[in-house]
Amino acid sequence: MAPSSTTGSFTILAGGFDVFVASYSFDPSSSSLSLLNKSPTGSNPSWITLHPTNHSILYTVNAIAAGALQSFEIKQDGSLSSAIETISSGGGNPAFAVALSTGQVAIMNYKSGDGRIIPTTSSPEHFSDSAPLITFPKLASGVSHPHMALEHGNEVLVPDLGGDMVWRLIQNGPPGTFKIQGSIPQPSGSGPRHIAIYGDRLFTLHELSSTLTVQAIPAAPNGTSTILANVSILPPNPPAGAKFAAGEILIPSPTVKFPTPYIYVSNRNTGTQDPRGDSIAIFEHVNKGTANEGLKLVNQVYTGIDQVRGMEFGPAAKGAEEFLIASGVAGSAGVIVLKRTENGRNMEIIATNLDIPTRTSFVWL
């Protein structure tokens, strides 16, 4: 049974390039973030995801050469059971997994350019090994690096950082059997890493060019749409020797407290660090449906973190949508919680925990 937040504090799980998943307790009333425990897992559980309806089940990748997907039960104290089941991802270094509404779990292998969408059995912690491997085409670059999967209607969209493409998958037979039915081309050399959808618009964060784009979602399977805006996410005046690679994109749904769906994207400086750390850029989607539709930079919020790879907003259903937890994949800045201010146009750091130097993905319970 997953822990409850009825006491006013929240339990947050955090994956990383290590051999454990960490559990934190965040108390908004005291602005405190405490490490609860570290639960052993397979190697490099760098991306973690909850079952969509049973929040006592956690899935993790094992981002290693012989990639795998693992399932765990979340205990009342926020720790994990021993791995219930481990199944091959079919390829190398899976960078992302997500549980779909259909009871399947998508896992994408960054290094080998392929992935699987793995069915679960009548128990969500157990996997069926029936899913064939989905191999993505190697286009002009000669490589494929699928980096995410996003369920949209009856499709699963997969941004391919190596191929400058978003692949459109659709189930083609029994659970676990998918085919590529189409694609959404992206700018050459941009390296689409992660995507988000709001309304009928596709927002794409490009790692190699450190840009954010927006376009209408084309009609399936191979409709086309113009990129309506393509903007840099980089902070101004970076230090000499800085080298950037975009990280994460989040568009939290509007609430009464935060009525505007701002877009939050993270920078990762893999070169000479800014003493203020890497920034989270905040954008607003403006003038939708007009000739002046675009993306307007609202703010750059410096985090003190080295390479912001993982970040996640708290659940609005539990009144935690004003809080963002984040960490870097390098350095020793630990984990921070930021609070949204100015109706979401700004953020401030309200809690820090240094017990573990780096984390790469989060889920709120």
Side-chain angles (χ1 to χ4, degrees):
M1 179 183 293
S4 168
S5 63
T6 55
T7 61
S9 62
F10 295 89
T11 301
I12 303 162
L13 305 182
F17 287 103
D18 216 310
V19 289
F20 61 86
V21 165
S23 303
Y24 293 88
S25 177
F26 169 58
D27 185 349
S29 64
S30 60
S31 296
S32 63
L33 182 66
S34 305
L35 179 66
L36 293 175
N37 44 58
K38 296 191 289 187
S39 300
T41 64
S43 296
N44 295 345
S46 61
W47 200 269
I48 62 177
T49 181
L50 287 176
H51 186 276
T53 57
N54 184 345
H55 288 181
S56 66
I57 301 298
L58 183 79
Y59 304 108
T60 77
V61 304
N62 290 163
I64 54 178
L69 177 70
Q70 293 190 296
S71 62
F72 299 85
E73 181 183 357
I74 304 168
K75 301 178 184 178
Q76 186 64 34
D77 65 355
S79 66
L80 303 183
S81 67
S82 299
I84 297 171
E85 194 156 343
T86 302
I87 191 170
S88 171
S89 68
N93 294 90
F96 187 91
V98 64
L100 307 180
S101 65
T102 56
Q104 302 170 91
V105 185
I107 183 167
M108 295 296 140
N109 298 309
Y110 174 84
K111 189 171 184 179
S112 53
D114 45 37
R116 298 178 78 190
I117 299 180
I118 298 172
T120 54
T121 67
S122 56
S123 298
E125 66 271 25
H126 293 288
F127 303 121
S128 166
D129 204 14
S130 61
L133 192 66
I134 304 161
T135 300
F136 298 101
K138 294 178 173 60
L139 302 176
S141 67
V143 296
S144 172
H145 292 313
H147 213 296
M148 186 191 180
L150 179 65
E151 186 176 18
H152 177 64
N154 65 348
E155 291 187 296
V156 177
L157 305 182
V158 178
D160 187 338
L161 192 153
D164 296 324
M165 192 68 67
V166 175
W167 301 109
R168 309 183 77 150
L169 308 184
I170 192 167
Q171 190 165 319
N172 185 41
T177 304
F178 281 73
K179 69 174 184 179
I180 300 171
Q181 71 159 351
S183 59
I184 307 172
Q186 298 301 305
S188 178
S190 64
R193 176 184 173 93
H194 281 191
I195 57 177
I197 288 174
Y198 187 81
D200 60 357
R201 293 295 191 258
L202 173 67
F203 297 83
T204 305
L205 185 65
H206 304 268
E207 176 176 323
L208 303 183
S209 60
S210 289
T211 54
L212 173 65
T213 61
V214 60
Q215 64 191 115
I217 301 171
N222 272 308
T224 59
S225 70
T226 301
I227 289 180
L228 302 168
N230 185 339
V231 297
S232 172
I233 71 166
L234 296 180
N237 306 313
K243 184 179 180 181
F244 286 94
E248 180 63 297
I249 176 171
L250 301 173
I251 309 177
S253 297
T255 63
V256 172
K257 187 178 289 187
F258 300 101
T260 302
Y262 292 112
I263 306 153
Y264 300 80
V265 296
S266 70
N267 281 291
R268 296 182 302 152
N269 179 1
T270 63
T272 302
Q273 288 294 299
D274 188 312
R276 297 169 294 179
D278 283 332
S279 70
I280 297 171
I282 304 174
F283 286 88
E284 183 177 2
H285 182 211
V286 296
N287 303 319
K288 181 184 176 185
T290 74
N292 296 318
E293 182 169 348
L295 296 164
K296 178 183 177 182
L297 178 65
V298 173
N299 222 329
Q300 293 275 4
V301 179
Y302 291 89
T303 64
I305 289 173
D306 185 350
Q307 300 178 43
V308 186
R309 184 183 190 269
M311 59 182 192
E312 196 69 44
F313 280 102
K318 297 183 178 180
E321 74 271 28
E322 64 185 315
F323 302 113
L324 176 75
I325 192 164
S327 185
V329 71
S332 57
V335 178
I336 64 172
V337 175
L338 302 102
K339 180 178 180 180
R340 286 200 276 179
T341 61
E342 301 171 26
N343 295 319
R345 297 173 62 86
N346 203 350
M347 295 188 290
E348 61 180 2
I349 299 171
I350 62 167
T352 301
N353 183 282
L354 300 174
D355 289 333
I356 303 172
T358 63
R359 294 283 83 193
T360 56
S361 64
F362 299 95
V363 295
W364 293 67
L365 300 181

